[in-house]
Amino acid sequence: MTKVHYFFDPLCGWCFGASPLIDHLVQRDDIQLNLHPGGLFDSRELSPETRQHFLESDQKIHSMSGVEFGAAYQAKMRDADSVVLDSMLPIRAILAAAQSGYSATEMLKRIQLAHYQQGKTVHSVEALNSLAADMGIPADTWNEIFAQTDVQPEIASTTSLMMKQHLRGYPSMTVEIDGQWISVPVQSYFGNLKAWETFWNQLSR
């Protein structure tokens, strides 16, 4: 198994752009994917200028990666009286999914789709409970583990690892080869799944 470390934030548009690449890694049986969530947003209200900047970045991400930013999301970013982004509860949901015995990457994907396509407020407990139910996580298990999950140690670990590996920004990725963590230029493969697959096939030989 090839160990891969993925550094991300669930509300990072460029990480959403990387989602087809992450899907490919999840489907492989020769890759062990380790998630390292960061905390970009802590209940941050976006100014109109920031919202416009994000929408412009989203267009670039779409052109490079092919991921679709939904009409509901775009309307919310353009027209809502207030837009608040908070990574903390979505990260807690991702960690809680794994601790419940389910897929952390699946929860990440559902959070990204709910935010970037459906325009949902994914830092609401109700929205995250609904995503957990859709994944088939029993409500009693989910409620107990979600309530007890602490995101801060994980975020601190992510920050420490990124500093140690000289990684800047999300998404970042490293692969362990002969005891060394080698950086993988994720964004270079946006929109080119064939080259991405070839890269990992050659690495796994």
Side-chain angles (χ1 to χ4, degrees), residues 9 11-12 38-44 46 54 85-88:
D9 187 278
L11 302 186
C12 159
L40 271 180
F41 304 101
D42 189 354
S43 195
R44 174 182 166 193
L46 304 183
F54 282 1
L85 295 186
D86 192 334
S87 307
M88 301 306 164

Side-chain angles (χ1 to χ4, degrees), residues 8 12-14 16 29 36 43 51 58 76 92 97 107 111 114 119 122-123 127 129 134-135 137 139 158 185:
F8 71 97
C12 159
W14 291 98
F16 181 50
D29 57 11
H36 302 282
S43 195
R51 287 155 61 176
D58 296 340
K76 176 181 177 179
R92 191 200 292 186
M107 178 60 81
I111 288 169
V122 292
H123 59 269
N129 287 349
D134 290 344
M135 285 179 61
I137 305 177
T158 295

Side-chain angles (χ1 to χ4, degrees), residues 8-184:
F8 71 97
D9 187 278
L11 302 186
C12 159
W14 291 98
C15 297
F16 181 50
S19 56
L21 307 179
I22 301 305
D23 285 345
H24 173 78
L25 296 184
V26 170
Q27 292 162 13
R28 298 181 67 111
D29 57 11
D30 57 346
I31 296 288
Q32 178 187 319
L33 185 62
N34 301 279
L35 299 186
H36 302 282
L40 271 180
F41 304 101
D42 189 354
S43 195
R44 174 182 166 193
E45 183 171 1
L46 304 183
S47 68
E49 293 79 14
T50 299
R51 287 155 61 176
Q52 181 58 36
H53 170 71
F54 282 1
L55 286 171
E56 292 169 1
S57 293
D58 296 340
Q59 291 178 2
K60 184 176 181 181
I61 295 165
H62 166 70
S63 67
M64 290 175 62
S65 68
V67 298
E68 297 288 344
F69 292 84
Y73 161 79
Q74 294 182 56
K76 176 181 177 179
M77 293 293 281
R78 278 195 314 266
D79 304 328
D81 292 337
S82 174
V83 175
V84 174
L85 295 186
D86 192 334
S87 307
M88 301 306 164
L89 277 181
I91 290 172
R92 191 200 292 186
I94 292 164
L95 298 176
Q99 292 170 24
S100 301
Y102 289 75
S103 170
T105 51
E106 177 65 19
M107 178 60 81
L108 168 60
K109 182 175 181 178
R110 288 174 182 268
I111 288 169
Q112 289 174 322
L113 293 175
H115 175 62
Y116 284 112
Q117 291 192 348
Q118 300 165 14
K120 292 185 177 179
T121 301
V122 292
H123 59 269
S124 77
V125 173
E126 294 78 8
L128 295 170
N129 287 349
S130 178
L131 295 180
D134 290 344
M135 285 179 61
I137 305 177
D140 53 349
T141 299
W142 170 257
N143 291 334
E144 180 179 355
I145 293 177
F146 183 75
Q148 295 175 355
T149 300
D150 183 3
V151 303
Q152 294 306 324
E154 195 72 23
I155 290 173
S157 173
T158 295
T159 302
S160 175
L161 283 172
M162 291 184 73
M163 291 178 64
K164 183 178 179 181
Q165 300 301 322
H166 307 290
L167 302 173
R168 301 179 67 182
Y170 307 108
S172 289
M173 182 177 289
T174 60
V175 57
E176 288 191 48
I177 302 175
D178 298 329
Q180 301 292 318
W181 287 31
I182 309 301
S183 181
V184 178

